[in-house]
Amino acid sequence: MSDVIAAGRTPFEALNGLSMPGLSAAPDRTRYILRGRAGILAPVAEVLGFALPTDACRATGSDQRHALWLGPDEWLLLSPAGDRLDKALAFAIGDVAHSVVEVSHRQVGIVLDRPDAAAVLSVGCALDLDLAAFPVGMCTRTMFAKTEIVLWRTGENVFQIEVWRSFADYLWRYLVLAGAEFA
Amino acid sequence: MLVITCPYCGPRPEIEFAHGGEAHIARPQDPSSLGVEDWTEFLYMRANPKGLHAERWRHLHGCARFFNALRDTTTDQFVATYRTGEPRPDLAAVKA
Amino acid sequence: MTRFSAFELFRQGLTGQSGWKPQWRSPEPKAAYDAVIVGGGGHGLGAAYYLASQHGMRNIAVIEKGWLGGGNTGRNTTIIRSNYLFPESAGLYDHSVKLWEGLSRELNYNVMFSQRGVMMLAHTVHDVQVFQRHVHANRAAGVDNEWLTPEEAKAYCPPLNISDNMRYPVLGAALQRRGGTARHDAVAWGYARAADRLGVDILENCEVTGIVRNAQGAVEAVETTRGRIKTPKVGVSAAGHTSVVLGMAGVRLPLESFPLQALVSEPVKPVFPCVVMSNTIHAYISQSDKGELVIGAGTDIYTSYTQRGGLHISQHTLEAICELFPQFRRMRMLRNWGGIVDVTPDRSPIVGKTPVPGLYVNCGWGTGGFKATPGAAHTLAWTIAKDAPHPINAPFTLERFRDGFLIDEAAAAAVAH
Amino acid sequence: MSGSFRTGIGGRIRRERTVRFRFDGVTYAGVEGDTLASALLANGVHLMGRSFKYHRPRGVLGAGADEPNALVEVTRGAGRTVPNVRATQVELYEGLEARSQNRWPSLALDVGAVNNLMAPFIPAGFYYKTFMWPRKAWDALYEPVIRAAAGLGHAPTAPDPDTYLNRYAHCEVLVIGAGPAGLSAALAASRGGGRVMLVDEQCEPGGSLLAEPDVRIDGLSSRDWIARTVAELQANPRVTLLSRATAFGYFAHNMIAVNERLSDHLAQPAAGAPRERLWQIRAGEVVIAAGAHERPLVFPDNDRPGILLAGAARTYLNRYGVLPGRRVVIATGHDEAYRTAIDLSRAGVEVAVIADLRPRPTGPLVEQARALGLAIRTGCAITGSRGGLRVTHARLSAILAAGKLGPPDEIACDAVLMSGGYTPSVHLFSQSRGKLRWDEALSAFLPDVSAERERSAGACRGIFALDAVLADGAAAGAAAAGIDAPPALRSTAVDADPAGVMGAVPHDRGPDARAFVDWQNDVTSKDLKLAVREGFQSVEHVKRYTTNGMATDQGKTSNINALGVLADELKRPVEKIGLTTFRMPYTPVTFGVLAGMARGDLFDPVRTTPIHGWAVENGAVFEDVSLWKRARYFPQGAEDMEAAVRRECLAVRSACGIFDASTLGKIEVVGRDAAEFMNRFYINAWTKLGVGRCRYGVLCREDGFVMDDGVVGRIAQDRFHVTTTTGGAARVLNMMEDYLQTEWPELDVWFTSTTEEWAVIALQGPKARDILSGLVEGIDLSPEALPHMALAEGHICGVPTRLFRVSFSGELGFEINVPADQGRTVWEAVWAAGQPHGLTPYGTETMHVLRAEKGFIIVGQETDGTATPDDVALSWAVGKAKPDYVGKRSLARPSMSAPDRKQLVGLLTEVPETVLQEGAQIVASRGLKAPMPVIGHVTSSYYSAVLGRSIALAMVSGGRARMGETLYSPHGAGEIAVKVVGPVFHDPEGARVNV
């Protein structure tokens, strides 16, 4: 079913009508994994229009583009579908050692937007999602039940989740079934 | 489920990590020049102490970095975690 | 020493069971022994028993830092089988099963060896290939093992769920009918009692603190919390603590010690007739004589001597149990405990001589040591007595790692395409 | 009217709300607020169970989690039956159905009770001493009999339809137990402003106060004080209060597991309502306020129905409005029992006598009892009881100076209420690995040194006086929250002397008298002494030999008394004997709540490819490969697998087949040192691999054994497209990161998993180029431009593609990599274009046969972790000139080139139709008997449609030197003769792939 989900990012409600208030598919995105030595920071900022986050587990961005810190030399770049950055990045970065790999199709985005979003996620995520411990703007790879996700808090009660496409069904089902108790 | 302090991401639940065995075992520069005993030592022989143990962890489902830790294997309490390449902290310093 | 028998129980019954004597003495350590076994679990006590009974070495001692059988002997799920892939392994484990079959009578102690059959489930095409190879290899090695269809598997173990709406449906099973379970504590006590009867000194609460070597580097004595004991031969069966003990003699081993958890349910009337193992989804289950479902969980990912693991490890196993036996979902976990298992790179044990003359080791059993208790003890005793490998333990030397002759039962189940 | 033993007033029950329930088929009436136990007592029913070994009739002993006797089966139907439930913890609901256990035919008349007569002959550990002859009889006779007698209730027989939930939680302060200490602690901690969680096992907060209606705290009745406290806590958004939530496990780094019961107490749970929830709570600080358990007295015949704990009786009276009997004897070594006597006599129960073991008990409670004119015998031991299914007499003897006993007399009664004092509940503290100390005055183990950020408060650390408990709780809560303790509260409670007695009560009843220490497992003081006599001195040995403390109550009522008996017998102080380890869980926990959501679809993620939907629609049969579902074959009509695979194979060889290879692992290796890394990592040489070219890569572990393989394409000087096996993808990436991060950090190279970025469509067969030609743009498919093992980037069906010309079948082949979203679209386009050419979809089974016909290995099938590249005929792949690569040094060990190593060969059966079984063994001659010398085994075996015969691959010792030899494979009775041949069966010169 993952293909149904992913092809043109059909809304997840396609999953046997499994749905939950506040749970939706994120809009189509272009995604890159950017790796590289410190020298890439300046040129990349030029291309993106903002600086890459260098604080652990933080995201930076404009309203269109976002950069999520995944590791000390690893960022997930998110931009609207069609906003291709690879050539511009390669050109700007030039000789500084780096790697840009497109992963637009590798993963899908899910948005959880509801007043009790953090509690709902706590059915499968072992992180402390209290605002003090996981503030707006924080992002990280972590585990949700048996699947790895990238969890990104974009609002007090809004979480963006990036998950590999073949794990999306599992994640969605789990959230909907476990979320039932929150009604 | 242990809490492990990733030197990059801070305290995180054990399920995000992979264990990497004994730390500070460097792969020989030129393995082919090694005698069989030395190679066997590198390949298989491991400290398995009851007490303080320097071990490798990887924040697999986090920043994905390998790092090292000092942990007491009789209590599972961590004394220190530090980045790959950094020397094993001496305890006096850690306690201080 | 009074022989155990139904008649004796009856006779004692007439006098309030007041005539029983200690099952083993609690002697003071002698200054010297012909051999000292470090580790008072089934393996160590067994080695002492066989040294005394098979090799006439009566002036020997077993030293145990705590109480007999307090290590993995008393902490495992008591599964006994010999359907291993490689002939070396099958040889060692089947030697053990044969000894198990006569052990109660040999020791005059009922160890309750129950040949209920051990069934290993296949959930993938690759499992089927691997287990069918096991069946063929075991047959050739003279070890019983047979292939069952899912229906035959269910007939043998009625609670088993073989519906194909399972996440990993059961595609078949390999059954060893001679496999089964035994009463773990009784193995340690039975060997202790029998060894004691032959003159072996069993020294509890006696921890080895050093191994003394002479000018030639050979073993000369052991230092213990109850004083120095001179001896030319030391056999170490200390399971998870072996690295530490051999470290005292400067011997490094390819071992790491991990926490291994097990658990039992509340006791219920007989419901589970055999032993079922699923390596693929990590479920190991049988029912004890007392009625408890005995369930083996996996090891934690990190080395530890705490004899405690994480809850998520037990959860993982119970997920599998509840899929295979959905009617047990409402059963309740009564007790959960941890052991310390010493694991080698090829998941096979090390039994035999060490680089130190007079020092012998029996370790590296990982999660499988209980079933091998008599066989390992029996062949280690031979090696200690004759200072030479027994044909059956000869492949399990420390040198195999240097020479690359691994006996890799784990890798043999490697994941395929 | 709900039972003749119900009081007219008092308790926390709602008398007006009658609740009907059934026990052993008899309908009774209870009231709302009852437990099953209190409701049965209200109906005068004490007999609730049978013991484990002797099947002795047993009544309820306690009123809570420590109950060893009153275990029942509660059922809501086949899939919803739970055995061994404590009647004291079952909240009554309309229509509740419960059955007694371990008896036949009935609870009152149990044939199993014959064991009771056998008692003298079946002491502790008797089974170790007999049942050894004849050997077969153990399996066939003795064990089945023992098993049938053992066990308590019956396991459920149908799948449990209920759901279970999980929740991770974090808080600054976790308080365990909502009694006076816990409530005060939580209230104090909540004022710190941090997140506070308060979990309690019972259906409402209050703990011991629920049985203290008359005490006033801070000027309020206990009921009002509880209500006020709970209200303040509930009003605080930072506080979480959980009832029916048992903290059952204390794990490393302050993780506490809590089992919350959600619907078992409801008469009609809503459809689909979850039954239980597991909380995994990570706490900054923990306050344990777990209270204490009352100790029974160990005297002969102390197990008759109607003999229960004095504190429990008081709980039944004050909390449930139930009288334990009409005429009671109080036997005690502790002040608390006087409270029971006082309350009962005020409730109109005749207190025949208070028999106090202590020579001269003093204190306000004793005085109150005297003032009420209750008969008190001091220095008096209870030495027995009489009665059948209910106690009728208590046997009392004066303790004379010399420790001798005076002449006994028997007091008629219908209940005996006993108390030896209270044992602090240190279970969770011990689980946390904290160290205990023995307190002689309290005869109790108390928390001493903490191992975690934790503190105990109240009775669980030996503080019993209510004012002190309230203050201790408040102090602990405040300290945990890092704030100052609030002013202490005052209560009207009358304090008791906390000292009690332990061990066996002296008696004059001779050797056959049985004084029970562990009720459920029928362990008597005699059994413990026998164990000592037989040399078991360690407390762990005694526990295991006698099974004391191993029943479903885990020794809550028996451990300390057992220690007392041992101390006397061993002439050793208790602290020298020590305690058995406290193990998780505190009380039994449902398997289902630990398994949680992981069932069916959610047991493990089901990974499917972008083309999965098409395969489903086209009737594919799937197989599980790691987490993936892979199409195994595509049967047409009534085809079985064999027929389908033969058809699919022929189609590929004669026309073309299409195969979904999307699950293969893919890793993008990028950076200016990419080639250098590949050289160090894989056994192959990569420097000279040109851009646009591919190479079959082999990866060894450092020990020299083959770990993984796959085609690697060079996309650019600094960019490799690496493929791995489906199951090996994660392992290979982890190993790459390991070497790069910890051994070669200086290399400028990075790895990104692209397994799911690309859908991979394998097109294999002579017609592959024809089918593709109309679909690609910007790619020249001609053999010259795109030879075998080349790749090109361009477009297909308007979609960007990495087109590999590779073949795992030996035919002209392409692997079309397209962005996953477009995978199915492109697949369907290729499918349509292939129709005129007889394009056939095939699955993994056919893929396996095709590659076997070509002698291509599958890692994990030909290899088993003990095969070197040379063993599986891959030494050609080794970059001989390279100074080093992972595994090179190990491969230089002599054993790695020993002539007798198992080597990959082909096998042909004499009879072409005979297909060897995979895994079959290979031997050198006929007629061998087991154990026979085995020289190899069959790794792959199929019927080859294109060759019209069976083929097999095998690993055979010294195989390459055995070409042409005839060997044998034992199958069932006989053996099958096989000829050793090369591993390549079809098109050995490889002409078909180079077209």
Side-chain angles (χ1 to χ4, degrees), chain D residues 546-559:
Chain D
T546 63
T547 75
N548 187 84
M550 297 183 80
T552 64
D553 55 283
Q554 292 287 286
K556 290 183 180 68
T557 53
S558 62
N559 281 348

Side-chain angles (χ1 to χ4, degrees), chain C residues 213-218 220:
Chain C
R213 301 166 62 179
N214 64 19
Q216 294 67 41
E220 187 171 78

Side-chain angles (χ1 to χ4, degrees), chain D residues 128 274 290 324 537 548 550 563 642 781 845 854 938 950 995:
Chain D
Y128 298 124
Q537 309 223 335
N548 187 84
M550 297 183 80
L563 270 179
E642 190 186 356
L781 295 177
E845 197 65 26
K854 291 293 298 175
V938 176
S950 72
V995 293

Side-chain angles (χ1 to χ4, degrees), chain C residues 15 44 110 184 207 229 252 272 301 332 338 341-343 371 395:
Chain C
T15 58
N110 188 358
H184 53 14
E207 182 166 10
I229 300 172
R252 298 245 299 159
F272 205 83
I301 60 174
R332 301 192 295 180
V341 296
D342 44 326
V343 177
K371 64 177 72 69

Side-chain angles (χ1 to χ4, degrees), chain A residues 3 9 35 37 73 95 97 100 103-106 122-123 125-128 130 146 164-167 181, chain D residues 166-168 170 195 277 597 603-604 607 610 672 719 745 747-748 750 753 756-757 819-822:
Chain A
D3 56 324
R9 300 301 194 270
R35 310 290 302 272
R37 302 293 185 190
D73 69 346
D95 290 344
V100 175
V103 292
S104 303
H105 298 247
R106 181 180 77 173
S122 294
V123 301
C125 177
L127 293 180
D128 186 349
D130 188 73
K146 292 181 181 175
W164 285 13
R165 60 187 301 135
S166 68
F167 290 94
E181 65 168 306
Chain D
N166 180 69
R167 187 80 67 88
Y168 294 99
H170 303 259
R195 291 169 295 175
R277 176 192 287 114
M597 302 275 300
F603 178 73
D604 251 355
R607 303 184 69 181
R672 59 179 148 217
R719 186 173 292 251
L747 294 184
D748 285 328
W750 291 272
S753 171
E756 299 222 44
E757 176 66 12
D821 285 3
Q822 281 82 40

Side-chain angles (χ1 to χ4, degrees), chain D residues 4 60 65 168 196 202 302 328 331 445 553 565 583 714 721 791 835 880 956:
Chain D
S4 54
V60 67
Y168 294 99
V196 173
Q202 302 204 52
N302 58 346
V328 304
F445 283 98
D553 55 283
V565 173
R583 304 190 185 289
R714 192 162 198 171
H721 178 116
L791 71 88
Q835 291 315 300
K880 309 275 186 312
V956 174

Side-chain angles (χ1 to χ4, degrees), chain D residues 66 585 648 772 803:
Chain D
D66 53 356
E648 292 172 13
L772 217 47
L803 182 65

